Every structure is written in C-alpha cells, then in structure tokens.
Amino acid sequence: MDTDLGPINRRLREDARMREDASALLLERINEALTRLDEGRFGYCVVCEGEIEIARLMDDPAATKCRKCRSD
C-alpha cells in the first residue's frame, strides 16, 4: 500500500487518547461515589443536601446532584 497513513495514524491515536480520558473520568466519578458511600454521604445532593431521587441514581449511580440542583 503506497497510501500516506499519517492522517489515519493521528486519528487512531487521537481516538485512543479521548477514550482513555473518558475512562479515567468515569473511574474518578466511581471512586468518588464509593468514598461518599463509605462516609454515609451517598445519595445526597452536594448542593442542597437533599436526597437524590432513586431513579436518578439508577440512571447514574455516581450522580452528585438531585434533578432540581442539576438543572439550576
């Protein structure tokens, strides 16, 4: 193959970095949720300190805000 693969190589590396960053962010959110669980703060909004709706936690177990505070 005599095609210049430079652009494809760059794109693959870029995609890999983006996926790595997204994975690192997800892992950080999960670890923070586990810390809140250990400290008895899991399921409570970090803004208003009210309970986060169970449906919201089912959608996103690492949620830190209730629906009301999330939309403000």
Side-chain angles (χ1 to χ4, degrees), residues 16-35:
R17 273 192 299 274
M18 286 178 19
R19 290 172 196 254
E20 188 177 274
D21 291 347
S23 294
L25 180 59
L26 178 59
L27 183 58
E28 182 179 333
R29 291 184 72 229
I30 291 168
N31 283 329
E32 289 171 356
L34 289 171
T35 297

Side-chain angles (χ1 to χ4, degrees), residues 7 38 45 57:
D38 289 344
C45 179
L57 289 171

Side-chain angles (χ1 to χ4, degrees), residues 7-65:
I8 295 170
N9 186 17
R10 282 189 294 279
R11 174 66 190 272
L12 286 171
R13 291 179 189 280
E14 211 173 272
D15 285 355
R17 273 192 299 274
M18 286 178 19
R19 290 172 196 254
E20 188 177 274
D21 291 347
S23 294
L25 180 59
L26 178 59
L27 183 58
E28 182 179 333
R29 291 184 72 229
I30 291 168
N31 283 329
E32 289 171 356
L34 289 171
T35 297
R36 288 192 307 277
L37 186 64
D38 289 344
E39 295 174 349
R41 298 181 298 117
F42 181 80
Y44 293 95
C45 179
V46 297
V47 176
C48 72
E49 298 181 359
E51 288 186 14
I52 298 174
E53 303 82 1
I54 209 70
R56 173 134 168 75
L57 289 171
M58 293 295 288
D59 288 340
D60 180 8
T64 59
K65 296 179 183 174

Side-chain angles (χ1 to χ4, degrees), residues 66-72:
C66 65
R67 289 196 193 279
K68 179 183 174 287
C69 291
R70 181 176 176 231
S71 64
D72 288 347

